[in-house]
């Protein structure tokens, strides 16, 4: 049973800190599983919180941050893509430890919809925003920061303003997967990718070109298709490539939606074509096709974004930003990738 609060009433974050022999900031970090907190310290903090019966105090937290909603806005481009559900789970697992709730908005890769959604979140006084921008025009996100709403970008970097961000090693992952196809003797490799304006698609195409260049090859423009955001679009694009007089012997796809579409086209054409793609996905091992995928921890992408946002919120709430001559500089975290092989 929880012990009685020494001063009566509900135990506070500072009570937990005093019992555990650490700072209040360390308690906050430990309760949201910040990897920078030593496991022994994390266990001591959790034991102290359990002993006191501590629960996050929403009212105190809201007063500390100068806001009253206890909400974090998560702005994504395509909820049909499983990547974004994993990202959302990662974000929520971290911010929930600080008593915050996650509100998710889908933009459908439409920048006008994104501008309206961000404006609505700011008007509703969310405590902070984590966004996957639809394009390079991010003035609405810069305006949110100017209005005092902390913003963290995920998967794509800020354009025209300073903000924390979490990225995947898009260039390195695409380069490595393409190099694996080249190692297997392929010289005509097709590319299926996202719209050119999307940072991830641009970086993955750049990695594709870099692998070819390292092998002394140049990409054939006839073998490149960009702009597909859903599997049916990718199926049509892949079918076009497979119907060429000299079709590619392998395809590299810049995301899981393109990989799924390409798989369908290869099966429909009964073609002997190797396939590689960015993003691991459920049932990839059951397709019955030799498949090389670029894998990474999409949950960690969300968790890292959540931790960056909470750090900003605590800076605002504690007044630490006012005590420094310069605010904390923007931080960038890059989530590494690896190759996963599935047999045919």
């Amino acid at each position: 049973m929880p012990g009685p609060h020494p001063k009566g009433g509900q135990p506070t974050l500072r009570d937990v800190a005093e019992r555990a022999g650490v700072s209040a900031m360390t308690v906050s970090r430990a309760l949201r599983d910040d990897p920078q907190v030593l496991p022994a310290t994390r266990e001591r903090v959790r034991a102290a919180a359990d002993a006191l019966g501590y629960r996050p105090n929403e009212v105190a937290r809201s007063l500390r941050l100068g806001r009253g909603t206890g909400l974090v806005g998560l702005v994504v481009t395509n909820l049909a893509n499983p990547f974004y559900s994993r990202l959302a789970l990662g974000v929520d697992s971290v911010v929930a430890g600080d008593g915050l709730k996650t509100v998710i908005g889908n933009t459908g890769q439409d920048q006008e919809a994104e501008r309206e959604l961000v404006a609505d979140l700011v008007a509703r006084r969310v405590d902070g925003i984590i966004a996957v921008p639809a394009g390079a025009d991010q003035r609405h996100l810069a305006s949110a920061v100017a209005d005092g709403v902390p913003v963290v970008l995920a998967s794509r970097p800020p354009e025209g303003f300073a903000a924390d961000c979490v990225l995947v090693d898009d260039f390195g992952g695409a380069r490595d997967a393409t190099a694996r196809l080249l190692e297997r003797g392929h010289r005509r490799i097709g590319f299926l990718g996202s719209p050119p304006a999307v940072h991830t698609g641009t970086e993955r195409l750049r990695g594709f070109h870099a692998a070819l260049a390292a092998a002394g090859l140049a990409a054939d423009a006839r073998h490149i298709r960009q702009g597909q955001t859903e599997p049916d679009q990718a199926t049509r694009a892949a079918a076009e490539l497979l119907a060429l007089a000299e079709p590619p012997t392998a395809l590299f796809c810049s995301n899981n939606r393109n990989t799924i579409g390409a798989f369908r086209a290869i099966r429909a054409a009964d073609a002997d074509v190797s396939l590689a793609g960015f993003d691991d996905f459920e049932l990839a091992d059951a397709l019955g096709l030799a498949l090389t995928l670029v894998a990474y921890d999409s949950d960690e992408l969300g968790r890292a974004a959540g931790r960056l946002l909470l750090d900003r919120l605590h800076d605002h709430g504690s007044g630490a930003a006012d005590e420094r001559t310069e605010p904390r500089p923007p931080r960038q975290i890059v989530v590494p990738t690896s190759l996963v092989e599935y047999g045919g």
Side-chain angles (χ1 to χ4, degrees):
M1 294 293 290
H5 184 263
K7 301 174 185 176
Q10 292 298 316
T12 67
L13 196 75
R14 293 189 181 280
D15 295 326
V16 177
E18 183 177 347
R19 186 181 184 100
V22 297
S23 69
M25 178 63 78
T26 298
V27 170
S28 178
R29 289 178 182 274
L31 292 179
R32 66 177 192 260
D33 291 327
D34 189 320
Q36 293 183 353
V37 178
L38 293 174
T41 302
R42 191 158 54 240
E43 288 302 316
R44 192 163 75 251
V45 167
R46 289 192 176 282
D50 290 342
L52 292 173
Y54 169 76
R55 294 294 181 272
N57 187 321
E58 292 294 332
V59 174
R61 188 200 62 78
S62 297
L63 290 173
R64 184 175 71 252
L65 300 178
R67 296 183 177 276
T69 62
L71 300 176
V72 167
L74 175 59
V75 179
V76 301
T77 60
N78 184 3
L79 277 175
N81 188 334
F83 162 78
Y84 292 108
S85 63
R86 301 308 314 181
L87 172 73
L89 287 171
V91 169
D92 194 64
S93 70
V94 169
V95 302
D98 216 53
L100 293 161
K101 304 298 183 185
T102 308
V103 177
I104 304 175
N106 185 59
T107 66
Q109 204 71 49
D110 184 323
Q111 284 208 294
E112 183 56 36
E114 182 181 298
R115 279 190 286 270
E116 293 178 2
L117 177 56
V118 169
D120 186 55
L121 290 171
V122 172
R124 293 175 185 273
R125 298 182 63 80
V126 294
D127 287 357
I129 294 173
I130 296 173
V132 181
D137 184 357
Q138 300 173 7
R139 287 174 291 180
H140 50 295
L141 293 168
S143 295
V145 173
D147 286 340
V149 180
V151 172
V152 174
L153 301 192
S155 190
R156 295 159 200 179
E159 299 280 351
F161 74 110
D164 299 313
C165 68
V166 185
L167 307 175
V168 173
D169 184 11
D170 298 300
F171 172 84
R175 180 198 57 207
D176 293 347
T178 306
R180 182 64 56 85
L181 294 174
L182 290 165
E183 289 169 5
R184 292 173 178 162
H186 295 285
R187 292 298 178 266
R188 294 197 309 273
I189 304 176
F191 179 91
L192 298 179
S194 308
V198 176
H199 169 80
T200 52
T202 300
E203 283 297 288
R204 293 170 190 180
L205 179 59
R206 193 168 70 87
F208 172 78
H209 280 296
L212 292 176
L217 300 172
D220 188 334
R222 296 172 299 176
H223 294 163
I224 295 177
R225 297 289 186 277
Q226 290 180 276
Q228 305 82 231
T229 59
E230 292 299 332
D232 58 341
Q233 298 170 333
T235 298
R236 290 192 293 271
E240 291 175 6
L241 295 180
L242 298 179
L244 293 173
E246 288 189 319
T249 62
L251 297 175
F252 173 72
C253 304
S254 76
N255 60 27
N256 54 17
R257 312 304 279 171
N258 276 277
T259 302
I260 292 169
F263 165 76
R264 291 173 179 168
I266 291 170
R267 278 289 186 236
D270 194 23
D272 183 17
V273 175
S274 294
L275 186 60
F278 215 106
D279 303 327
D280 199 357
F281 56 91
E282 193 172 5
L283 297 180
D285 60 335
L287 296 181
L289 179 74
L291 183 60
T292 299
L293 292 180
V294 180
Y296 56 93
D297 190 344
S298 50
D299 286 54
E300 176 55 24
L301 191 76
R303 289 192 294 267
R307 289 193 291 266
L308 287 175
L309 182 63
L310 288 183
D311 283 346
R312 288 291 172 189
L313 290 174
H314 283 292
D315 281 353
H316 281 223
S318 67
D322 296 330
E323 296 169 6
R324 292 189 292 266
T325 56
E326 294 288 339
R328 184 200 299 264
R331 289 177 289 172
Q332 177 177 292
I333 297 172
V334 178
V335 175
T337 63
S338 61
L339 295 183
V340 178
E341 303 283 355
Y342 295 108

